[in-house]
Amino acid sequence: MSQQQPVSSGAQLDFKDLVVLVTGAGSGIGRVYARFFGGRGSRVVINDVSAQAAQAVVDEINKAGGQAAAAPGSVADGQQVVDAAVKAFGTVHVLINNAGILRDKAFKNMSDQDWDLVTLVHLKGSYACTKACWPLFRQQKFGRVINTASAAGLYGNMGQANYSAAKMGLVGFTRTLAREGVKYNIKTNVIAPMAASAMTETVLPPDMLKGLKPEFIAPFVGVLTAKNGPDVNGRIFELGAGFISEVRWERSKGAIWRTDDSFTPSAVAAKWSEVQDFDQPEHPLNSEDGDMMGWAKQSKSLPPNKQIEPPIDFKNKTVIITGAGAGLGRDYALMFGKLGANVVINDVSKAGAEKVVEEVNAVGGKAVTAVCSAEDGEAIVKAAVDAFGTVHVLVANAGILRDKAFVNMDEKMWDQVIQVHLRGTFKCAKAVWPIFQKQKYGRVITTASPNGIYGTVGQANYSTAKAALIGLARSLAIEGSRSGILVNCIAPRAGTAMTATVWPKELMEAMKAEYVAPVVGYLASEACEDTGTFYEVFGGYAAQMRWQRTYGVSFPNDRELKPESIVAKWEEITTFDDRATNPTSGPEALQQIMENFSNTAGAADGEGSNEDPEDTPEIKEAKRQRPEPEEFTFTERDVILYNLGIGAKVEELKWTYENADGFEALPTFGVIPQFGSSSSLGMDFVPNFNPAKLLHGEQYLKIAKPIPTSGTLVNHVQLLEVLDKGKTAAVTVRVITKEKGSGDTVFENESTVILRGSGGFGGKKNGSDRGAATAANAAPKRKPDAVVEEKTTLEQAAIYRLSGDYNPLHIDPDFASMGGFPKPILHGLCSMGIAGKHVLKTFGPYKDIKVRFAGTVIPGETLVTEMWKEGNKVIFVAKVKERDAPALSNAAVTLVEGDKPPKAKL
């Protein structure tokens, strides 16, 4: 079967007579895949470990007029599964590797069985099923493979070291399959879906599961597998709840050192900020992308490297290095020995290990051997403890190659590489973990590879194992952070016994193993404070790697999503423009998906006044209620405290000194008097209201007159609008704030909150147009007219909360952790105030401001406000500089006419 011309917008995708094998299809998302393809004319093969569950789905599809057959069994027995498919329908055209299990445990409690079972199903199962399909795909010159990763694989997750490793491993697996299959019209892609399933039921709240229907995943898989789908191969996509985006690697500009005796861990520390500088990033697609030889030559011409003081050393530190009998491991050992470390040399070669011990002792270190496989982690750690009393650093370096074209790669070759690289690292990390936790200190460096990042022909096993070590490191970093354990990952290139057979002599010389060691030394030192990070390292060069995600497309989640609708938006889904983001954690990546819970068809339309005919009787009654007005008394002290809370500086006397000429409140002070009133309104007019499931969505503030700096104001609260978004409710409360004496209106606020799990009550679905309060405020497609950045302080949230928002999420680390955040986060209204200050300083006074809260800010991070002037309106967005992550979006102010904008002075 040959591929048709890619479908044009508006045309139908063709699935007719495709034989589609779906693993783990007896329930959940696999069942939804099967029903989707069955309903589109494909012949579907249902695999599941439960023969009964598989047959139930077969019967369901056949009863609906489709064609389906069962292929029960473990995915680890891939040939058996594929043989059943061929027996039923003659071949396989599409393989969806969907089967999976969870065995979540804190890493310290994770057993070998927990580890082995997860890697067996996810990695071995995907290998076995794909391997069995591969000859069919090659022979018929058509094949489509979909591998299933997850956010836990991309970003790491607490308690999922096994799952994160396996899921990230499938990204590397995909990249190599894509390269090997291209000339046979075999296309392989990987998705990181967020969908309700038997696996996610145990870790996600019920209201969130309702919004994550697998029906939003299946049409996208259809796009990637259709005969006439877009030409897509080796790509990563993240999606859920109607949101779809593409993910790729982004590499920093990096740093280069002179490769002489001055290239030390102390020299690496001196230039580390350059390694993490993403001002001029690259987006490599291949391991050859980048001027490697040019960088290597440049390093030779640089002056001696500057060093930090005091220099980094490893006196009284014990370092375990696996695979240290030669190559990279040997050079690591010599470096650590020179810096005073106790070094444990692990290798399967006794002669190799003993020789390196002698070399380490000769340069002033102390060393012992641990001759065994890296999988024998307990024995390696015992050797360290017996000789030196404890362990401080684990460099997981051991590895082997078993290269073969995928069609010829046998099970033994797969297993050996996965065992040494991945299981060996797991076993060694598991063995040192209790020691590290007890002493509240530890460093782990895992070893990935460029081939794990980009894939390469003939290394499906190696690419998978190396990518998996990135996911493992990120999960271990999360788990270790509270115990002083830092875990990072490198992808080194070096001239070793493994590369000598494939690299030219010039490249071997430029990529000496000793040119990687100083970076490892820095990451293993007390000077390093990073964790969960990942770097490419070679030839005196190092650069950080991170994910970049397209802004993507959000489809309404209250109507059926069709694959043709996705194709129509394909360019937007896959375009990396200035709206692209860089998620660094699961909660951060999930935020944009969660925002789409309230995206319903026609959400921008609307009508009506405060009371709407579509409102339920309960909402109509709630709108008729008028709570008693509440007074708010404040003094100049409160104004100064607020101004300081959003970053006013001591020299800005008009904002920090009550006796200064022109002393005034910053305009966003208007959110403070109303805060207690708007947040105290009861919400029992919607079902299942739970205050813990409330998210602040948008804020609109209108400033009706000059703001007094002290006095008594009166807040009048009104329920303005309640929308039924199906899975959620969107509630807008208006507070009109008046002066007590004159009765004049000073502020009008509209606060919109999202109540998760409170939708489905049959209320009004589409919001009303309320002018500036509901304007979309899309950023113009041109460079900003002004950009202002401001680094928040570590104390920012602690100060801001004194203006009235005492939510412990902003101050208590334990409470923040319960919410899925690594640290307490800054108040959204504080971010609004800082950005509003930037607009004020740049363009002058304004009479209203509206923002949408698009992401979190952690105190200490830098807020960057980008501004575009459009007539008397300034549209702006705010981002976190360090993570290039959104904080505020769809934001704008309306300028006071007649004022000339002053120049920014921040």
Side-chain angles (χ1 to χ4, degrees), residues 490-642:
I490 61 167
R493 303 171 200 256
T496 67
M498 287 200 293
T499 58
T501 59
V502 292
W503 280 9
K505 184 177 179 180
E506 183 184 16
L507 192 59
M508 287 286 289
E509 178 65 25
M511 302 293 171
K512 287 183 177 179
E514 64 193 74
Y515 299 159
V516 174
V519 176
V520 171
Y522 169 72
L523 291 172
S525 73
E526 293 184 13
C528 177
E529 298 180 351
D530 295 303
T531 193
T533 55
F534 175 44
Y535 307 90
E536 278 202 81
V537 186
F538 53 86
Y541 167 88
Q544 186 173 358
M545 302 290 290
R546 67 180 183 183
W547 294 119
Q548 185 185 46
R549 187 169 80 179
T550 64
Y551 188 74
V553 171
S554 297
F555 294 91
N557 63 26
D558 62 342
R559 62 169 56 167
E560 180 186 359
L561 179 58
K562 296 183 178 180
E564 289 78 14
S565 300
I566 296 171
V567 172
K569 294 281 190 179
W570 191 253
E571 183 176 356
E572 192 174 346
I573 290 169
T574 58
T575 296
F576 290 88
D577 55 22
D578 57 3
R579 300 176 301 163
T581 60
N582 300 97
T584 59
S585 68
E588 194 177 316
L590 184 60
Q591 187 156 354
Q592 201 170 351
I593 293 174
M594 289 177 61
E595 285 175 1
N596 206 48
F597 287 178
S598 59
N599 177 21
T600 57
D605 303 329
E607 77 207 57
S609 58
N610 184 35
E611 195 172 314
D612 193 278
E614 295 180 62
D615 286 339
T616 64
E618 293 82 2
I619 292 171
K620 288 179 179 178
E621 178 60 28
K623 286 184 174 181
R624 295 187 193 113
Q625 300 299 317
R626 291 291 186 269
E628 285 294 316
E630 294 184 359
E631 293 188 356
F632 177 85
T633 299
F634 66 109
T635 67
E636 293 166 336
R637 176 184 179 276
D638 298 298
V639 170
I640 294 171
L641 187 61
Y642 173 78

Side-chain angles (χ1 to χ4, degrees), residues 21 31 64 149 151 176 418 438 515 601 639 658 704 735 774 856 858 889:
L21 170 57
R31 173 175 171 268
T176 285
I418 298 297
K438 185 177 181 180
Y515 299 159
V639 170
E658 67 277 11
V735 180
T774 56
T856 58
I858 296 173
S889 66

Side-chain angles (χ1 to χ4, degrees), residues 632 637-646 669 671-673 675-676 797-806 827:
F632 177 85
R637 176 184 179 276
D638 298 298
V639 170
I640 294 171
L641 187 61
Y642 173 78
N643 291 345
L644 290 170
I646 62 170
F669 176 79
V671 303
I672 298 301
F675 182 81
I799 297 172
Y800 186 85
R801 69 188 299 270
L802 299 180
S803 288
D805 185 349
Y806 293 103
H827 307 69

Side-chain angles (χ1 to χ4, degrees), residues 184-421:
Y184 300 101
N185 190 25
I186 306 171
K187 296 177 181 176
T188 307
N189 294 284
V190 60
I191 61 171
M194 179 59 73
S197 68
M199 288 200 298
T200 54
E201 282 176 2
T202 59
V203 293
L204 293 177
D207 62 305
M208 188 179 294
L209 289 169
K210 291 177 184 178
L212 295 169
K213 294 187 294 187
E215 285 79 6
F216 287 119
I217 310 299
F220 183 76
V221 170
V223 170
L224 296 179
T225 55
K227 299 178 195 175
N228 56 341
D231 185 11
V232 189
N233 193 26
R235 311 264 281 276
I236 311 168
F237 297 92
E238 197 170 4
L239 63 160
F243 169 77
I244 304 173
S245 64
E246 184 175 357
V247 177
R248 68 179 179 182
W249 284 111
E250 184 169 73
R251 183 167 67 193
S252 69
K253 182 181 179 181
I256 303 173
W257 291 267
R258 182 180 177 87
T259 50
D260 62 8
D261 291 343
S262 70
F263 187 25
T264 66
S266 299
V268 173
K271 294 177 75 167
W272 195 245
S273 61
E274 293 182 29
V275 176
Q276 299 180 320
D277 182 357
F278 281 91
D279 282 349
Q280 296 176 282
E282 296 181 328
H283 301 96
L285 298 175
N286 305 288
S287 59
E288 300 81 16
D289 289 350
D291 185 15
M292 287 185 289
M293 288 305 301
W295 295 331
K297 290 177 181 177
Q298 183 181 342
S299 72
K300 301 294 186 184
S301 63
L302 293 173
N305 301 300
K306 294 181 179 178
Q307 313 285 318
I308 62 164
E309 292 293 341
I312 291 171
D313 66 46
F314 289 88
K315 293 174 183 175
N316 301 315
K317 292 286 192 297
T318 299
V319 181
I320 291 174
I321 308 168
T322 65
L328 277 169
R330 170 183 173 273
D331 282 285
Y332 296 160
L334 292 174
M335 175 200 64
F336 282 115
K338 289 176 184 176
L339 295 174
N342 305 317
V343 190
V344 179
I345 309 299
N346 160 254
D347 205 272
V348 291
S349 166
K350 181 179 180 181
E354 289 178 345
K355 182 179 178 183
V356 176
V357 166
E358 292 175 4
E359 291 179 295
V360 171
N361 291 335
V363 296
K366 297 178 182 178
V368 297
T369 63
V371 180
C372 58
S373 166
E375 287 188 85
D376 200 356
E378 293 91 345
I380 298 170
V381 174
K382 183 178 185 301
V385 173
D386 287 348
F388 304 116
T390 188
V391 185
H392 301 95
V393 178
L394 167 64
V395 181
N397 168 73
I400 60 170
L401 288 178
R402 295 293 184 270
D403 293 359
K404 246 334 163 27
F406 187 64
V407 72
N408 298 319
M409 183 173 287
D410 62 33
E411 184 177 359
K412 184 178 180 181
M413 293 173 181
W414 177 272
D415 290 343
Q416 286 177 334
V417 170
I418 298 297
Q419 286 165 357
V420 173
H421 290 272

Side-chain angles (χ1 to χ4, degrees), residues 207 683 686-695 754-758:
D207 62 305
M683 297 198 182
V686 295
N688 305 318
F689 170 62
N690 182 343
K693 298 179 180 180
L694 181 151
L695 299 172
I754 307 300
L755 308 180
R756 294 174 287 155
S758 295

Side-chain angles (χ1 to χ4, degrees), residues 73-91:
S74 169
V75 286
D77 299 319
Q79 190 64 57
Q80 174 185 317
V81 172
V82 173
D83 286 346
V86 172
K87 183 177 180 181
F89 296 122
T91 189

